[in-house]
Amino acid sequence: MLSRARLGTFLTFALAGLLTGVWVARMPALAGKFGTTESEIGIVVLVWGLGAIAAMQGLRAVMARAGSRTVLRVALPLTAVAYLLVALAPTYGLLLAAVAVFGMTFGITDIAMNAQGSVVEQAHRRPIMSGMHAGWCAGAMSGGLFGVATAAAGLGFTATVLAAALLSLPAGLALGRTYLADPPAPAASGDGRRAARMPLAVYLIGALAFIAFMTEGSIADWSGLLLHDELGATQAVAALGYPVFELAMLFGRLAGDRIRTRIGTRRLLVGAGIGTALGMTVVVLAPGAPVAIAGFFVTGLVVCLVVPTTISLAGTAVPDRPAAAVAQVGAMGYGGLLLGPVVVGFLADATSLRVGVGVTVVLALLIAFGARYVPLAGAVESAPHASGAGSGRGAAGAEPEPEPEPLAA
């Protein structure tokens, strides 16, 4: 049962990643279908992101009451249906409406699958969240390849997205049978307004997710232009930057849970922040494209560990409302994903693209600094030199890492 739930949740992450990968890969075909400008495509992406954030934030209470399994069983098939609407939208106006619905259903799916990942992780009593997010990377890469294959076959945006949606709908329904029920919440105390608020610890964890997503979004949107415009790479070479970054993220997440178990959560986050700063320093100071691409690879290996770890921490930060805490952290993370590329763009216009992308170095150092103050009470982890497995002191009987000052409101 537990192994089936872990596989089902992994495949859910992969399916969500695949839908995103197809969407991104066929964005030029979408522009061609409606004859849109770059700014109009930017509006499409913005509407999708705002829909996701609104759903994440607005349905936090629903997640807390219904639990991740119930929500995910509904949201994942609905995401496939919304994908159908995007494929079949006949006009740009209706496309925006369909994309808003897709963004909302996808946002709900995102927080529900992360909350379900937290449920499975706690049942395993050891870190597995990074491996779940590796499923996302694998799905996104597969979706990108599917987009490339359909483009090579001469299929347009409608046919490609329609095919992906029709494949995803039965898969989403089948995966619903694999999820674990959320653990019963302790009896609530206090008034309703206080119960609706999250402890300060959740917002600190969300701030780290915000910064990590901001970094990832900046690299995704600006890596190609940096390689082409600043370093003189050909378009073919410039296009390698982001796939190399994603491949490195996949490798890093496959190993992330073992690294976290070995060195502990706080050291993992501090190391990821410092490693990201070093990798992006190489990118910003690179004399040519090969060195910059190597820097993107190093960055992907380490920055990929931050988001899964923050989601894992959110799932244990508020024992009576884990799904709501995951929803809050997820919404904050998506905010960073939308804001990061915008900040880089403004800085690039005011100075240079190297300086604009260089803001990620500062963001990474903020991750390393903030990790020192992240509360770890209840975290599923194993610290180094642990002994006495099964003693009830964490995933493998590990001694907890030193705690900072309490941050709970």
Side-chain angles (χ1 to χ4, degrees), residues 221-278:
D221 284 16
W222 293 102
S223 58
L225 284 175
L226 177 70
L227 291 169
H228 183 266
D229 294 352
E230 293 285 334
L231 299 176
T234 64
Q235 289 193 12
V237 172
L240 287 175
Y242 185 59
V244 166
F245 176 73
E246 279 290 333
L247 182 62
M249 288 185 67
L250 174 61
F251 290 157
R253 285 176 172 169
L254 288 173
D257 295 319
R258 292 191 296 274
I259 296 171
R260 184 181 172 194
T261 298
R262 182 177 295 273
I263 69 174
T265 300
R266 200 180 309 285
R267 294 183 184 89
L268 175 73
L269 289 172
V270 171
I274 294 173
T276 300
L278 292 174

Tab-separated table of all heavy atoms in Angstrom, residues 221-278:
chain	number	residue	atom	x	y	z
A	221	ASP	N	13.747	31.754	-17.901
A	221	ASP	CA	13.334	32.762	-18.876
A	221	ASP	C	14.496	33.518	-19.520
A	221	ASP	O	14.352	34.038	-20.633
A	221	ASP	CB	12.395	33.771	-18.207
A	221	ASP	CG	11.002	33.212	-18.007
A	221	ASP	OD1	10.846	31.986	-18.099
A	221	ASP	OD2	10.070	33.993	-17.761
A	222	TRP	N	15.643	33.590	-18.852
A	222	TRP	CA	16.710	34.461	-19.331
A	222	TRP	C	18.003	33.742	-19.715
A	222	TRP	O	18.920	34.387	-20.225
A	222	TRP	CB	17.029	35.524	-18.269
A	222	TRP	CG	15.914	36.494	-18.074
A	222	TRP	CD1	15.004	36.520	-17.065
A	222	TRP	CD2	15.567	37.590	-18.936
A	222	TRP	NE1	14.122	37.556	-17.229
A	222	TRP	CE2	14.440	38.234	-18.368
A	222	TRP	CE3	16.105	38.085	-20.120
A	222	TRP	CZ2	13.844	39.334	-18.951
A	222	TRP	CZ3	15.514	39.203	-20.706
A	222	TRP	CH2	14.401	39.806	-20.126
A	223	SER	N	18.086	32.435	-19.485
A	223	SER	CA	19.334	31.735	-19.794
A	223	SER	C	19.665	31.804	-21.281
A	223	SER	O	20.819	32.045	-21.670
A	223	SER	CB	19.243	30.269	-19.344
A	223	SER	OG	18.151	29.613	-19.969
A	224	GLY	N	18.654	31.598	-22.128
A	224	GLY	CA	18.905	31.610	-23.563
A	224	GLY	C	19.376	32.969	-24.061
A	224	GLY	O	20.327	33.065	-24.853
A	225	LEU	N	18.729	34.031	-23.592
A	225	LEU	CA	19.122	35.376	-24.020
A	225	LEU	C	20.514	35.732	-23.508
A	225	LEU	O	21.295	36.395	-24.215
A	225	LEU	CB	18.108	36.402	-23.528
A	225	LEU	CG	16.784	36.460	-24.303
A	225	LEU	CD1	15.825	37.425	-23.635
A	225	LEU	CD2	17.023	36.858	-25.751
A	226	LEU	N	20.839	35.323	-22.296
A	226	LEU	CA	22.175	35.598	-21.769
A	226	LEU	C	23.241	34.933	-22.639
A	226	LEU	O	24.247	35.557	-23.010
A	226	LEU	CB	22.290	35.097	-20.329
A	226	LEU	CG	23.671	35.255	-19.685
A	226	LEU	CD1	23.971	36.721	-19.414
A	226	LEU	CD2	23.767	34.452	-18.395
A	227	LEU	N	23.012	33.671	-22.990
A	227	LEU	CA	23.989	32.948	-23.803
A	227	LEU	C	24.093	33.546	-25.205
A	227	LEU	O	25.195	33.653	-25.767
A	227	LEU	CB	23.596	31.466	-23.888
A	227	LEU	CG	23.721	30.661	-22.592
A	227	LEU	CD1	23.056	29.296	-22.752
A	227	LEU	CD2	25.190	30.482	-22.222
A	228	HIS	N	22.966	33.951	-25.768
A	228	HIS	CA	22.968	34.450	-27.145
A	228	HIS	C	23.423	35.903	-27.247
A	228	HIS	O	24.333	36.241	-28.011
A	228	HIS	CB	21.574	34.301	-27.749
A	228	HIS	CG	21.482	34.707	-29.182
A	228	HIS	ND1	21.102	35.972	-29.579
A	228	HIS	CD2	21.741	34.028	-30.330
A	228	HIS	CE1	21.115	36.044	-30.895
A	228	HIS	NE2	21.497	34.886	-31.384
A	229	ASP	N	22.813	36.774	-26.431
A	229	ASP	CA	23.059	38.210	-26.567
A	229	ASP	C	24.348	38.661	-25.897
A	229	ASP	O	25.063	39.523	-26.421
A	229	ASP	CB	21.890	39.005	-25.992
A	229	ASP	CG	20.603	38.799	-26.785
A	229	ASP	OD1	20.659	38.168	-27.848
A	229	ASP	OD2	19.541	39.265	-26.321
A	230	GLU	N	24.662	38.101	-24.743
A	230	GLU	CA	25.830	38.545	-23.981
A	230	GLU	C	27.098	37.767	-24.322
A	230	GLU	O	28.197	38.312	-24.305
A	230	GLU	CB	25.555	38.428	-22.473
A	230	GLU	CG	24.502	39.384	-21.952
A	230	GLU	CD	25.020	40.809	-21.829
A	230	GLU	OE1	26.250	40.988	-21.665
A	230	GLU	OE2	24.204	41.749	-21.903
A	231	LEU	N	26.923	36.461	-24.616
A	231	LEU	CA	28.100	35.603	-24.829
A	231	LEU	C	28.278	35.193	-26.287
A	231	LEU	O	29.191	34.432	-26.599
A	231	LEU	CB	28.011	34.362	-23.932
A	231	LEU	CG	27.971	34.675	-22.422
A	231	LEU	CD1	27.786	33.394	-21.614
A	231	LEU	CD2	29.243	35.381	-21.990
A	232	GLY	N	27.393	35.649	-27.158
A	232	GLY	CA	27.563	35.414	-28.587
A	232	GLY	C	27.336	34.003	-29.056
A	232	GLY	O	27.816	33.614	-30.139
A	233	ALA	N	26.606	33.196	-28.297
A	233	ALA	CA	26.336	31.819	-28.709
A	233	ALA	C	25.318	31.805	-29.842
A	233	ALA	O	24.483	32.703	-29.967
A	233	ALA	CB	25.820	31.012	-27.532
A	234	THR	N	25.380	30.774	-30.660
A	234	THR	CA	24.362	30.604	-31.691
A	234	THR	C	23.033	30.264	-31.010
A	234	THR	O	22.996	29.885	-29.832
A	234	THR	CB	24.734	29.470	-32.651
A	234	THR	OG1	24.761	28.226	-31.914
A	234	THR	CG2	26.100	29.721	-33.284
A	235	GLN	N	21.951	30.356	-31.757
A	235	GLN	CA	20.649	30.042	-31.173
A	235	GLN	C	20.584	28.586	-30.728
A	235	GLN	O	19.964	28.262	-29.704
A	235	GLN	CB	19.534	30.344	-32.180
A	235	GLN	CG	19.320	31.826	-32.414
A	235	GLN	CD	18.033	32.117	-33.159
A	235	GLN	OE1	17.178	31.249	-33.317
A	235	GLN	NE2	17.889	33.349	-33.624
A	236	ALA	N	21.216	27.700	-31.489
A	236	ALA	CA	21.206	26.278	-31.117
A	236	ALA	C	21.929	26.056	-29.796
A	236	ALA	O	21.446	25.326	-28.920
A	236	ALA	CB	21.852	25.450	-32.220
A	237	VAL	N	23.094	26.688	-29.632
A	237	VAL	CA	23.851	26.543	-28.383
A	237	VAL	C	23.126	27.239	-27.233
A	237	VAL	O	23.050	26.705	-26.111
A	237	VAL	CB	25.278	27.119	-28.546
A	237	VAL	CG1	26.001	27.144	-27.199
A	237	VAL	CG2	26.068	26.295	-29.556
A	238	ALA	N	22.554	28.411	-27.513
A	238	ALA	CA	21.837	29.140	-26.471
A	238	ALA	C	20.641	28.355	-25.954
A	238	ALA	O	20.293	28.435	-24.776
A	238	ALA	CB	21.373	30.496	-27.013
A	239	ALA	N	20.032	27.567	-26.830
A	239	ALA	CA	18.871	26.768	-26.426
A	239	ALA	C	19.250	25.635	-25.475
A	239	ALA	O	18.377	25.043	-24.834
A	239	ALA	CB	18.182	26.190	-27.660
A	240	LEU	N	20.551	25.330	-25.365
A	240	LEU	CA	20.989	24.244	-24.485
A	240	LEU	C	20.958	24.618	-23.006
A	240	LEU	O	20.911	23.748	-22.140
A	240	LEU	CB	22.416	23.815	-24.843
A	240	LEU	CG	22.615	23.015	-26.126
A	240	LEU	CD1	24.099	22.805	-26.366
A	240	LEU	CD2	21.892	21.679	-26.021
A	241	GLY	N	20.999	25.914	-22.713
A	241	GLY	CA	21.128	26.358	-21.331
A	241	GLY	C	20.061	25.793	-20.419
A	241	GLY	O	20.360	25.185	-19.379
A	242	TYR	N	18.796	25.966	-20.789
A	242	TYR	CA	17.720	25.528	-19.906
A	242	TYR	C	17.594	24.010	-19.836
A	242	TYR	O	17.410	23.456	-18.740
A	242	TYR	CB	16.402	26.165	-20.326
A	242	TYR	CG	15.282	25.840	-19.360
A	242	TYR	CD1	15.370	26.196	-18.010
A	242	TYR	CD2	14.142	25.171	-19.782
A	242	TYR	CE1	14.358	25.899	-17.113
A	242	TYR	CE2	13.123	24.872	-18.891
A	242	TYR	CZ	13.242	25.232	-17.566
A	242	TYR	OH	12.238	24.927	-16.681
A	243	PRO	N	17.663	23.251	-20.960
A	243	PRO	CA	17.623	21.793	-20.837
A	243	PRO	C	18.740	21.234	-19.959
A	243	PRO	O	18.520	20.287	-19.201
A	243	PRO	CB	17.753	21.316	-22.291
A	243	PRO	CG	17.262	22.436	-23.108
A	243	PRO	CD	17.656	23.679	-22.370
A	244	VAL	N	19.943	21.820	-20.071
A	244	VAL	CA	21.045	21.374	-19.219
A	244	VAL	C	20.724	21.649	-17.755
A	244	VAL	O	20.972	20.822	-16.869
A	244	VAL	CB	22.365	22.066	-19.638
A	244	VAL	CG1	23.444	21.902	-18.574
A	244	VAL	CG2	22.856	21.496	-20.963
A	245	PHE	N	20.147	22.811	-17.488
A	245	PHE	CA	19.738	23.172	-16.132
A	245	PHE	C	18.695	22.184	-15.605
A	245	PHE	O	18.792	21.700	-14.467
A	245	PHE	CB	19.187	24.601	-16.156
A	245	PHE	CG	18.626	25.078	-14.842
A	245	PHE	CD1	19.458	25.397	-13.784
A	245	PHE	CD2	17.250	25.230	-14.680
A	245	PHE	CE1	18.940	25.856	-12.575
A	245	PHE	CE2	16.726	25.691	-13.487
A	245	PHE	CZ	17.573	26.002	-12.430
A	246	GLU	N	17.684	21.853	-16.409
A	246	GLU	CA	16.643	20.917	-15.999
A	246	GLU	C	17.204	19.515	-15.778
A	246	GLU	O	16.805	18.809	-14.849
A	246	GLU	CB	15.530	20.871	-17.048
A	246	GLU	CG	14.534	22.005	-16.954
A	246	GLU	CD	13.653	21.900	-15.717
A	246	GLU	OE1	13.430	20.780	-15.224
A	246	GLU	OE2	13.199	22.944	-15.230
A	247	LEU	N	18.122	19.089	-16.644
A	247	LEU	CA	18.732	17.768	-16.477
A	247	LEU	C	19.499	17.700	-15.160
A	247	LEU	O	19.418	16.702	-14.427
A	247	LEU	CB	19.674	17.483	-17.655
A	247	LEU	CG	20.362	16.107	-17.647
A	247	LEU	CD1	19.326	14.987	-17.732
A	247	LEU	CD2	21.347	16.004	-18.811
A	248	ALA	N	20.226	18.765	-14.847
A	248	ALA	CA	20.960	18.809	-13.585
A	248	ALA	C	19.988	18.775	-12.401
A	248	ALA	O	20.258	18.127	-11.377
A	248	ALA	CB	21.830	20.064	-13.526
A	249	MET	N	18.854	19.468	-12.524
A	249	MET	CA	17.852	19.435	-11.462
A	249	MET	C	17.328	18.020	-11.247
A	249	MET	O	17.111	17.587	-10.107
A	249	MET	CB	16.705	20.386	-11.792
A	249	MET	CG	17.053	21.860	-11.674
A	249	MET	SD	15.634	22.954	-11.944
A	249	MET	CE	14.619	22.594	-10.531
A	250	LEU	N	17.126	17.292	-12.327
A	250	LEU	CA	16.677	15.906	-12.203
A	250	LEU	C	17.698	15.077	-11.436
A	250	LEU	O	17.354	14.337	-10.506
A	250	LEU	CB	16.432	15.319	-13.594
A	250	LEU	CG	16.098	13.822	-13.648
A	250	LEU	CD1	14.813	13.534	-12.870
A	250	LEU	CD2	15.972	13.351	-15.095
A	251	PHE	N	18.972	15.183	-11.814
A	251	PHE	CA	20.025	14.436	-11.120
A	251	PHE	C	20.076	14.822	-9.637
A	251	PHE	O	20.185	13.955	-8.764
A	251	PHE	CB	21.383	14.702	-11.769
A	251	PHE	CG	21.549	14.098	-13.128
A	251	PHE	CD1	22.476	14.620	-14.031
A	251	PHE	CD2	20.780	13.027	-13.540
A	251	PHE	CE1	22.641	14.070	-15.294
A	251	PHE	CE2	20.923	12.466	-14.804
A	251	PHE	CZ	21.856	12.997	-15.674
A	252	GLY	N	20.027	16.132	-9.372
A	252	GLY	CA	20.114	16.595	-7.998
A	252	GLY	C	18.961	16.101	-7.148
A	252	GLY	O	19.153	15.694	-5.989
A	253	ARG	N	17.752	16.102	-7.703
A	253	ARG	CA	16.593	15.664	-6.930
A	253	ARG	C	16.572	14.156	-6.718
A	253	ARG	O	16.054	13.678	-5.694
A	253	ARG	CB	15.311	16.144	-7.605
A	253	ARG	CG	15.085	17.634	-7.378
A	253	ARG	CD	13.881	18.201	-8.088
A	253	ARG	NE	13.664	19.584	-7.643
A	253	ARG	CZ	12.825	20.421	-8.215
A	253	ARG	NH1	12.108	20.032	-9.277
A	253	ARG	NH2	12.678	21.648	-7.750
A	254	LEU	N	17.113	13.412	-7.648
A	254	LEU	CA	17.201	11.964	-7.450
A	254	LEU	C	18.103	11.627	-6.266
A	254	LEU	O	17.884	10.627	-5.575
A	254	LEU	CB	17.712	11.280	-8.723
A	254	LEU	CG	16.716	11.223	-9.889
A	254	LEU	CD1	17.395	10.682	-11.141
A	254	LEU	CD2	15.502	10.359	-9.530
A	255	ALA	N	19.114	12.453	-6.033
A	255	ALA	CA	20.030	12.214	-4.916
A	255	ALA	C	19.680	13.018	-3.674
A	255	ALA	O	20.239	12.783	-2.598
A	255	ALA	CB	21.463	12.559	-5.347
A	256	GLY	N	18.739	13.960	-3.792
A	256	GLY	CA	18.483	14.918	-2.726
A	256	GLY	C	18.059	14.302	-1.411
A	256	GLY	O	18.491	14.750	-0.336
A	257	ASP	N	17.188	13.292	-1.450
A	257	ASP	CA	16.707	12.697	-0.209
A	257	ASP	C	17.835	12.003	0.557
A	257	ASP	O	17.906	12.100	1.789
A	257	ASP	CB	15.585	11.705	-0.504
A	257	ASP	CG	14.343	12.383	-1.073
A	257	ASP	OD1	13.988	13.468	-0.575
A	257	ASP	OD2	13.751	11.836	-2.017
A	258	ARG	N	18.706	11.330	-0.166
A	258	ARG	CA	19.840	10.668	0.506
A	258	ARG	C	20.788	11.700	1.108
A	258	ARG	O	21.308	11.499	2.206
A	258	ARG	CB	20.589	9.777	-0.488
A	258	ARG	CG	19.799	8.564	-0.940
A	258	ARG	CD	20.666	7.572	-1.702
A	258	ARG	NE	21.174	8.133	-2.938
A	258	ARG	CZ	20.514	8.120	-4.084
A	258	ARG	NH1	19.295	7.591	-4.143
A	258	ARG	NH2	21.032	8.636	-5.184
A	259	ILE	N	20.994	12.804	0.389
A	259	ILE	CA	21.874	13.857	0.919
A	259	ILE	C	21.263	14.471	2.170
A	259	ILE	O	21.953	14.687	3.179
A	259	ILE	CB	22.115	14.936	-0.156
A	259	ILE	CG1	22.862	14.342	-1.350
A	259	ILE	CG2	22.898	16.109	0.432
A	259	ILE	CD1	22.950	15.282	-2.541
A	260	ARG	N	19.964	14.722	2.124
A	260	ARG	CA	19.299	15.309	3.291
A	260	ARG	C	19.375	14.364	4.490
A	260	ARG	O	19.587	14.802	5.626
A	260	ARG	CB	17.850	15.622	2.940
A	260	ARG	CG	17.088	16.321	4.071
A	260	ARG	CD	15.652	16.581	3.662
A	260	ARG	NE	14.871	17.072	4.795
A	260	ARG	CZ	13.547	17.137	4.810
A	260	ARG	NH1	12.850	16.754	3.744
A	260	ARG	NH2	12.902	17.580	5.881
A	261	THR	N	19.178	13.086	4.247
A	261	THR	CA	19.262	12.108	5.329
A	261	THR	C	20.659	12.078	5.940
A	261	THR	O	20.822	11.925	7.148
A	261	THR	CB	18.900	10.709	4.797
A	261	THR	OG1	17.549	10.732	4.315
A	261	THR	CG2	19.018	9.656	5.884
A	262	ARG	N	21.668	12.266	5.098
A	262	ARG	CA	23.051	12.154	5.572
A	262	ARG	C	23.512	13.401	6.325
A	262	ARG	O	24.166	13.292	7.370
A	262	ARG	CB	23.987	11.894	4.389
A	262	ARG	CG	25.458	11.699	4.773
A	262	ARG	CD	26.288	11.376	3.545
A	262	ARG	NE	25.898	10.098	2.986
A	262	ARG	CZ	26.398	8.926	3.382
A	262	ARG	NH1	27.286	8.885	4.362
A	262	ARG	NH2	26.011	7.815	2.812
A	263	ILE	N	23.176	14.590	5.808
A	263	ILE	CA	23.753	15.800	6.409
A	263	ILE	C	22.754	16.632	7.195
A	263	ILE	O	23.141	17.554	7.917
A	263	ILE	CB	24.420	16.692	5.331
A	263	ILE	CG1	23.368	17.318	4.412
A	263	ILE	CG2	25.442	15.906	4.535
A	263	ILE	CD1	23.959	18.322	3.434
A	264	GLY	N	21.452	16.355	7.068
A	264	GLY	CA	20.452	17.122	7.784
A	264	GLY	C	19.884	18.262	6.956
A	264	GLY	O	20.507	18.737	5.992
A	265	THR	N	18.696	18.703	7.351
A	265	THR	CA	17.954	19.686	6.564
A	265	THR	C	18.636	21.045	6.519
A	265	THR	O	18.777	21.649	5.450
A	265	THR	CB	16.534	19.845	7.131
A	265	THR	OG1	15.869	18.579	7.063
A	265	THR	CG2	15.746	20.876	6.342
A	266	ARG	N	19.080	21.534	7.674
A	266	ARG	CA	19.637	22.884	7.696
A	266	ARG	C	20.920	22.956	6.876
A	266	ARG	O	21.134	23.902	6.108
A	266	ARG	CB	19.893	23.335	9.135
A	266	ARG	CG	20.000	24.858	9.246
A	266	ARG	CD	20.248	25.313	10.665
A	266	ARG	NE	19.331	24.761	11.635
A	266	ARG	CZ	18.064	25.148	11.797
A	266	ARG	NH1	17.563	26.087	11.014
A	266	ARG	NH2	17.308	24.601	12.721
A	267	ARG	N	21.790	21.980	7.041
A	267	ARG	CA	23.042	21.981	6.267
A	267	ARG	C	22.748	21.848	4.770
A	267	ARG	O	23.449	22.431	3.938
A	267	ARG	CB	23.950	20.854	6.734
A	267	ARG	CG	24.463	21.018	8.159
A	267	ARG	CD	25.423	19.883	8.529
A	267	ARG	NE	25.837	19.980	9.925
A	267	ARG	CZ	25.204	19.424	10.947
A	267	ARG	NH1	24.103	18.713	10.716
A	267	ARG	NH2	25.634	19.554	12.183
A	268	LEU	N	21.726	21.083	4.440
A	268	LEU	CA	21.349	20.946	3.026
A	268	LEU	C	20.946	22.286	2.440
A	268	LEU	O	21.403	22.671	1.350
A	268	LEU	CB	20.190	19.954	2.901
A	268	LEU	CG	19.602	19.807	1.491
A	268	LEU	CD1	20.553	19.031	0.597
A	268	LEU	CD2	18.244	19.135	1.534
A	269	LEU	N	20.090	23.025	3.141
A	269	LEU	CA	19.615	24.314	2.632
A	269	LEU	C	20.735	25.345	2.551
A	269	LEU	O	20.843	26.093	1.575
A	269	LEU	CB	18.481	24.837	3.508
A	269	LEU	CG	17.149	24.086	3.412
A	269	LEU	CD1	16.173	24.581	4.468
A	269	LEU	CD2	16.551	24.222	2.019
A	270	VAL	N	21.583	25.387	3.589
A	270	VAL	CA	22.716	26.325	3.559
A	270	VAL	C	23.644	25.983	2.394
A	270	VAL	O	24.079	26.862	1.634
A	270	VAL	CB	23.478	26.299	4.898
A	270	VAL	CG1	24.772	27.108	4.786
A	270	VAL	CG2	22.608	26.851	6.021
A	271	GLY	N	23.955	24.700	2.242
A	271	GLY	CA	24.840	24.280	1.150
A	271	GLY	C	24.235	24.556	-0.211
A	271	GLY	O	24.938	24.964	-1.149
A	272	ALA	N	22.910	24.352	-0.342
A	272	ALA	CA	22.255	24.622	-1.622
A	272	ALA	C	22.309	26.105	-1.961
A	272	ALA	O	22.527	26.482	-3.123
A	272	ALA	CB	20.802	24.150	-1.572
A	273	GLY	N	22.122	26.961	-0.957
A	273	GLY	CA	22.200	28.398	-1.196
A	273	GLY	C	23.590	28.830	-1.627
A	273	GLY	O	23.752	29.578	-2.605
A	274	ILE	N	24.606	28.349	-0.908
A	274	ILE	CA	25.986	28.703	-1.256
A	274	ILE	C	26.367	28.130	-2.617
A	274	ILE	O	26.985	28.813	-3.453
A	274	ILE	CB	26.956	28.205	-0.169
A	274	ILE	CG1	26.692	28.959	1.144
A	274	ILE	CG2	28.402	28.385	-0.610
A	274	ILE	CD1	27.482	28.421	2.315
A	275	GLY	N	25.976	26.886	-2.874
A	275	GLY	CA	26.291	26.266	-4.163
A	275	GLY	C	25.628	26.981	-5.319
A	275	GLY	O	26.227	27.158	-6.395
A	276	THR	N	24.379	27.421	-5.121
A	276	THR	CA	23.679	28.176	-6.163
A	276	THR	C	24.372	29.503	-6.435
A	276	THR	O	24.529	29.921	-7.593
A	276	THR	CB	22.221	28.414	-5.751
A	276	THR	OG1	21.568	27.160	-5.562
A	276	THR	CG2	21.477	29.216	-6.806
A	277	ALA	N	24.802	30.176	-5.358
A	277	ALA	CA	25.519	31.445	-5.528
A	277	ALA	C	26.809	31.240	-6.309
A	277	ALA	O	27.140	32.041	-7.207
A	277	ALA	CB	25.811	32.065	-4.163
A	278	LEU	N	27.539	30.186	-6.002
A	278	LEU	CA	28.795	29.916	-6.720
A	278	LEU	C	28.525	29.571	-8.186
A	278	LEU	O	29.217	30.065	-9.089
A	278	LEU	CB	29.549	28.769	-6.040
A	278	LEU	CG	30.115	29.069	-4.642
A	278	LEU	CD1	30.711	27.804	-4.021
A	278	LEU	CD2	31.167	30.166	-4.715
